[in-house]
Amino acid sequence: MNIQWYPGHMTKAKRNMQEDMRLVDLVIELLDARVPSGSRNPDIDRLAAGKARLVLLNKSDLADPQRSQMWKAWFEKRGCHTVLLDSRASGAMKEVRRVIEEACAQKRERDRRRGILNRPVRAMVVGIPNVGKSTFINTFAGRAAARTGDKPGVTRGNQWIRLGKGVELLDTPGILWPKFEDQEVGCRLAVAGAISDTIVDPAELALWLISFLQREYPQLLCARYGLEGVEGEAVAILDKIAAVRGCIGKGGEPDYGRTARLILEDFRDGRLGRITLEAPEE
């Protein structure tokens, strides 16, 4: 399966991000906690060079908690302040505000020495499509300040959002990169919903996910679909799930498209359990 997706508006968004970077003190990068490395745009490190960095591992309520702690330590070792986050939970925003202040402490001190007091922190919010940037901003702001959606590509232009006197956020469109050198990365992102479902084959994607779960989380696969075991080819497991869930088409044959969509929705909504698709050592 060859996955590539780079709509034209992303080229303009990347150019605007580069121009606006000089206006901000802090770059807040939202990543999908289930795909922390795969959901990092490799261009961000270059574009944000010299800026304070905050990584928010979003959707951590859906991710494997042990692996999330490993990823948190991995990012902090590389100089990024890091918070595990469910962007829908307003209670988590107090910790985000605290870490923003911590990340910008040097900036505050420079302002103080220059006689500049109470200037708000200006932060750019970046991340790939459908990682939850707009939901985070709305929860952080306590109001509907940014457009949200359950599919990639909802935010199309930059917008400043002022949050009282302390913080100003610049929302940016989700940006992928023009080519996935490693198709495993593309599969992980597609499974997590960061790539439009209209350009991928759900059956192929579900087979990839089943193979991964057979290796890494067999007990969750068995528990969710009432399977006695997960040995054998992924397509045989797909057949069993189709039978268990009644996804049968004409002539009594398994309806692979329907079964695949069911499995992908179960993963994305957390019904399969808390799963992370990669570990730091990878």
Side-chain angles (χ1 to χ4, degrees):
M1 180 164 48
N2 184 30
I3 298 175
Q4 302 294 340
W5 187 59
Y6 195 73
H9 74 271
M10 290 190 181
T11 301
K12 180 181 179 181
K14 180 180 173 182
R15 185 168 59 248
N16 290 342
M17 180 186 295
Q18 190 167 10
E19 293 172 355
D20 290 337
M21 193 66 71
R22 59 187 175 82
L23 303 175
V24 303
D25 311 299
L26 172 70
V27 175
I28 300 175
E29 183 178 11
L30 267 80
L31 304 179
D32 189 322
R34 300 165 300 175
V35 198
S37 178
S39 59
R40 294 196 84 199
N41 188 325
D43 293 332
I44 299 299
D45 282 341
R46 177 181 59 82
L47 293 172
K51 300 292 182 180
R53 302 286 297 278
L54 169 56
V55 168
L56 301 180
L57 290 172
N58 192 29
K59 305 184 183 181
S60 61
D61 56 308
L62 302 176
D64 182 329
Q66 183 177 359
R67 286 193 174 184
S68 290
Q69 290 296 333
M70 293 167 63
W71 277 110
K72 185 175 187 294
W74 189 89
F75 284 110
E76 288 175 344
K77 186 177 179 181
R78 285 154 181 78
C80 295
H81 295 78
T82 308
V83 175
L84 302 180
L85 184 72
D86 172 3
S87 62
R88 301 165 300 177
S90 58
M93 298 304 141
K94 184 176 180 180
E95 174 67 4
V96 174
R97 283 187 177 275
R98 185 193 69 77
V99 177
I100 286 175
E101 288 299 319
E102 183 179 301
C104 294
Q106 292 183 351
K107 175 259 180 193
R108 296 281 200 198
E109 178 59 23
R110 286 195 302 270
D111 282 352
R112 187 191 64 78
R113 289 199 300 265
R114 295 164 57 192
I116 302 173
L117 303 178
N118 300 321
R119 186 169 74 86
V121 170
R122 306 193 91 190
M124 178 183 289
V125 183
V126 301
I128 67 171
N130 208 30
V131 78
K133 295 188 307 301
S134 296
T135 299
F136 159 69
I137 289 171
N138 290 342
T139 305
F140 196 54
R143 65 180 191 275
R147 292 179 61 200
T148 62
D150 60 357
K151 61 182 179 179
V154 172
T155 302
R156 289 299 181 92
N158 293 4
Q159 54 179 327
W160 280 103
I161 298 159
R162 289 166 174 80
L163 310 179
K165 297 180 180 179
V167 182
E168 296 180 356
L169 296 181
L170 178 60
D171 188 16
T172 62
I175 302 177
L176 286 171
W177 44 106
K179 184 177 181 181
F180 297 123
E181 300 296 339
D182 182 353
Q183 282 298 301
E184 284 288 297
V185 173
C187 287
R188 291 168 188 161
L189 291 175
V191 164
I195 295 173
S196 175
D197 284 336
T198 61
I199 68 163
V200 294
D201 181 342
E204 286 192 47
L205 213 53
L207 289 172
W208 182 94
L209 178 58
I210 289 170
S211 295
F212 173 82
L213 295 173
Q214 285 177 291
R215 295 192 310 271
E216 301 290 337
Y217 297 93
Q219 73 284 2
L220 296 183
L221 193 56
C222 288
R224 178 61 185 167
Y225 300 114
L227 307 176
E228 294 183 0
V230 293
E231 297 77 16
E233 296 293 326
V235 69
I237 303 298
L238 190 65
D239 285 339
K240 291 179 181 179
I241 295 172
V244 167
R245 290 307 171 91
C247 298
I248 305 300
K250 293 181 180 179
E253 295 296 319
D255 185 333
Y256 287 129
R258 184 179 161 199
T259 309
R261 287 188 291 272
L262 179 148
I263 295 169
L264 293 173
E265 288 172 5
D266 279 352
F267 170 80
R268 292 170 184 172
D269 293 340
R271 290 188 291 267
L272 264 167
R274 298 181 67 173
I275 295 166
T276 299
L277 298 177
E278 56 191 6
E281 60 267 25
E282 296 174 357

